[in-house]
Amino acid sequence: MSDIEVDFHHDPNDIEHMQFDIRYRSSSINSSSGQTLPKIKILGTGGTIASKGTSAHQTAGYKVDLTIEEMVQSIPDLGSTCELSYEQILNVDSKEIGAKELQVIYNAVVDNIEEYDGLVITHGTDTMEETAFFLQFTIKTSKPVVMCGSMRPSTAISSDGPMNLYQAVVIASHPESRDRGILVAFNDRVISGYFLKKSNANSLDTFNAIGQGYLGNFVNNQIYYYFPPSKPMGVSYLPIPPGFDFQFPEVTVLFGHQGFNDDLLPLLFDSIKIKGLVLATMGAGSMKDTTNKVVFELSNKFKVPVIYSKRSMDGMVTVGSLPKFEGSPCNNLIASGSLSPQKSRILLQLCLINNFSVDTIKSYFKKVYGGS
Ligand code: ASP
């Protein structure tokens, strides 16, 4: 007989927003020392971890088709570390996550963070970096918020989903996981959500923080941290303004490459009316001279900030690497520091919704990498 009781809190026909509590029978609510277990909630959003393929060797081209309830019930021992609840807040491939979905995730974190000792968010790996970064800036909490996902669908041989979810729950339950910012549990490692990078499109060891390293390692059912708790350098709190409707200003990312077509730029500023531009430059801020000139003129004409980021996975674009235009009083060009183009886009959007001046936006970008 199962030792799990499931309570439905919401209309069970509302599959978009199902919420369950698993109450393990009293014998498992208390740890062996008799202490009350931490209350942890999993917020399910989809991704490969929630996917099924048509064969055991299929590791690409599968579909999101598994609920958070099915996932939780397939993992033995989850209830021995915590009192667990879970809620299906979305069930999508993370490539489909935009402002509306981000709002759902943000609201779910805000709504639950007080009541629980820690939260776990299951999420697709393709855009986990972006959601983690967004939450790092907009959620102020000491409690662990741990993201996880998988590279193999649930139907694949050696699927990594169940272990990643198990480890995420254990990490969220652990008191030493507090005050570390958004965390990611993946492939036996704990990684800072702020520095997170997806480095491989297929392999299980895809997530790392090149240059900054892992925060800890997972063995058996234990997390071993390498460092005492601390938030990443330069992380600021940029709250979502009250009443904000999640209509983010349009900020586009352009990828630098040989033979870059400068004619794209007037289209973005003039026709699409972007409110910000991020350049994934070819090195530490390098775009060809004609591109820099057009970018400089258009950004001044339309008063649109332009972030110089880089397409390389590691390293920085500092202020000193920005193109120079002698004698111009107005300069809307900003260095991304170590931020990737996709993270730069989010930081710029958060600055724009707070109506920051270009000088203030520059100071926020400097802060994130400690630059000057
Ligand atoms: N396509 C998936 C997603 O990001 C990839 C994954 O989760 O690994 O939702």
Side-chain angles (χ1 to χ4, degrees), residues 46-49 62 64 92-95 123-127 149-152 198:
T48 295
I49 193 168
Y62 40 78
V64 173
V92 295
D93 191 295
S94 73
K95 69 180 168 18
H123 194 290
T125 62
D126 289 347
T127 67
S150 76
M151 290 301 284
R152 292 186 181 151
K198 183 170 180 178

Side-chain angles (χ1 to χ4, degrees), residues 107-350:
N107 285 343
V109 173
V110 170
D111 291 348
N112 287 288
I113 198 75
E114 283 301 313
E115 184 182 344
Y116 292 90
D117 297 306
L119 299 179
V120 169
I121 304 172
T122 59
H123 194 290
T125 62
D126 289 347
T127 67
M128 195 183 290
E129 288 170 45
E130 285 156 84
T131 302
F133 187 84
F134 177 81
L135 294 176
Q136 179 66 72
F137 275 81
T138 55
I139 302 289
K140 197 174 190 182
T141 182
S142 298
K143 295 182 182 178
V145 176
V146 187
M147 300 185 72
C148 72
S150 76
M151 290 301 284
R152 292 186 181 151
S154 62
T155 42
I157 302 163
S158 300
S159 170
D160 50 333
M163 188 54 111
N164 287 343
L165 180 54
Y166 172 78
Q167 295 182 350
V169 169
V170 174
I171 290 164
S173 305
H174 202 287
E176 271 191 49
S177 302
R178 293 174 65 96
D179 289 310
R180 292 181 186 269
I182 304 294
L183 298 174
V184 173
F186 219 93
N187 205 35
D188 297 336
R189 268 47 179 264
V190 189
I191 310 146
S192 151
Y194 173 79
F195 287 123
L196 187 73
K197 292 203 171 71
K198 183 170 180 178
S199 65
N200 190 303
N202 316 101
S203 299
L204 272 56
D205 63 347
T206 184
F207 279 123
N208 49 38
I210 304 167
Q212 295 83 26
Y214 298 114
L215 301 184
N217 203 45
F218 208 96
V219 183
N220 289 326
N221 61 352
Q222 287 290 325
I223 170 70
Y224 297 91
Y225 281 111
Y226 302 138
F227 313 103
S230 77
K231 291 216 165 84
M233 202 39 210
V235 163
S236 315
Y237 175 49
L238 277 175
I240 296 291
F244 177 63
D245 58 4
F246 275 72
Q247 302 285 320
F248 288 101
E250 176 61 36
V251 175
T252 298
V253 176
L254 280 184
F255 198 88
H257 53 82
Q258 290 182 345
F260 184 85
N261 185 347
D262 294 341
D263 294 341
L264 290 170
L265 294 162
L267 291 176
L268 288 174
F269 284 85
D270 223 347
S271 308
I272 297 181
K273 309 224 177 298
I274 53 169
K275 299 292 179 282
L277 176 65
V278 178
L279 297 172
T281 71
M282 291 168 269
S286 60
M287 297 295 276
K288 66 186 159 93
D289 291 347
T290 55
T291 308
N292 286 330
K293 190 162 178 296
V294 178
V295 163
F296 179 72
E297 285 167 2
L298 289 171
S299 70
N300 282 347
K301 179 174 170 200
F302 290 92
K303 300 191 176 20
V304 165
V306 178
I307 312 297
Y308 275 64
S309 180
K310 75 263 141 57
R311 64 184 198 186
S312 317
M313 273 217 173
D314 201 6
M316 290 188 169
V317 180
T318 59
V319 173
S321 319
L322 292 174
K324 314 240 174 344
F325 298 93
E326 294 303 326
S328 170
C330 166
N331 189 335
N332 296 322
L333 310 186
I334 300 169
S336 75
S338 57
L339 294 186
S340 63
Q342 60 271 33
K343 291 180 188 176
S344 300
R345 174 179 167 272
I346 292 172
L347 181 57
L348 180 54
Q349 284 181 319
L350 289 173

